[in-house]
């Protein structure tokens, strides 16, 4: 079922999102991590923040995503949000997400208005990630860091929030079953942590 706010435009849509994100996270958006850690990544998680960039296009909101470089040690080649670990010099999680976004894809923070945060997600690589939702106002240019980012692209938000496009899969690792989410989009395969965080966004926006 389409979310009503998708029919709004401009300031009304932005205000609706800000109000919804200011509410406590619904129970359905909590504890979405499966608790699995890769060997050697056990212990206290490292704090990280990613930006969920909602781009205000004339034909509807889109989500800006990156494809990670195949040479990265963690999650190589996967689709992700711009972001990374929180540094001691970052005043807060929003600042960390903005800094990492500027470093990774060159998106200037002056084009971004932060609207709120989603519930955290813990990755298999030992990061506790806070997704920070940002409203991105065109025009802007992107300049990806070639060391970290292989590609930058956008997906319509309405497509990502459509339940028919959200899939649940599993695979066996030894005798352990690992469930994960996926949202295929054309030749792009959005899965794992990024898909789970999009589901957290979906459940947060659908909460009554």
């Amino acid at each position: 079922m389409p979310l009503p706010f998708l029919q709004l435009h401009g300031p009304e849509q932005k205000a609706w999102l800000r109000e919804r994100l200011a509410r406590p996270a619904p129970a359905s958006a909590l504890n979405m991590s499966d608790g699995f850690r890769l060997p050697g990544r056990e212990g206290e998680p490292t704090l990280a923040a990613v930006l969920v960039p909602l781009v205000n296009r004339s034909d509807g909101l889109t989500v800006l995503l990156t494809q990670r470089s195949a040479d990265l040690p963690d999650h190589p080649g996967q689709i992700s949000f711009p972001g990374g670990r929180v540094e001691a010099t970052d005043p807060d999680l929003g600042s960390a997400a903005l800094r990492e976004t500027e470093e990774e894809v060159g998106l200037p923070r002056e084009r971004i208005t932060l609207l709120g945060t989603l519930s955290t997600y813990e990755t298999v690589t030992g990061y506790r990630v806070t997704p920070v939702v940002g409203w991105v106002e065109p025009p802007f240019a992107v300049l990806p860091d070639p060391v970290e980012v292989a590609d930058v692209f956008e997906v319509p938000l309405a497509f990502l929030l459509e339940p028919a496009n959200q899939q649940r899969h599993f695979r066996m690792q030894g005798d352990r079953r690992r469930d994960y989410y996926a949202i295929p989009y054309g030749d792009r395969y959005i899965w794992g942590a990024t898909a789970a965080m999009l589901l957290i966004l979906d459940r947060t926006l659908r909460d009554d």
Side-chain angles (χ1 to χ4, degrees), residues 85-177:
R85 73 171 64 220
V86 177
E87 304 291 352
T89 52
D90 293 320
D92 50 41
L93 293 167
S95 298
L98 290 173
R99 174 185 55 75
E100 285 282 346
T101 298
E102 201 161 26
E103 291 173 0
E104 286 185 16
V105 299
L107 182 57
R109 63 183 66 202
E110 293 77 18
R111 309 305 300 174
I112 306 169
T113 302
L114 299 184
L115 302 179
T117 60
L118 301 172
S119 58
T120 59
Y121 181 88
E122 292 200 11
T123 69
V124 298
T125 47
Y127 289 89
R128 179 175 292 152
V129 183
T130 298
V132 181
V133 181
W135 180 277
V136 184
E137 198 63 51
F140 59 87
V142 294
L143 185 63
D145 177 353
V147 175
E148 295 192 52
V149 178
D151 195 14
V152 179
F153 62 99
E154 296 177 30
V155 179
L157 178 62
F159 179 92
L160 297 168
L161 299 183
E162 170 53 55
N165 299 327
Q166 300 164 357
Q167 302 176 2
R168 186 71 162 157
H169 299 290
F170 76 92
R171 62 185 178 188
M172 300 302 297
Q173 291 189 315
D175 59 356
R176 181 186 177 112
R177 170 175 166 146

Side-chain angles (χ1 to χ4, degrees), residues 49-95:
V50 298
L51 186 73
V52 181
L54 305 182
V55 184
N56 184 28
R57 298 295 183 190
S58 59
D59 54 350
L61 290 175
T62 66
V63 179
L64 184 144
L65 294 163
T66 72
Q67 182 167 348
R68 294 169 60 83
S69 166
D71 299 323
L72 291 176
D74 289 338
H75 311 287
Q78 292 185 16
I79 291 170
S80 67
F81 296 112
R85 73 171 64 220
V86 177
E87 304 291 352
T89 52
D90 293 320
D92 50 41
L93 293 167
S95 298

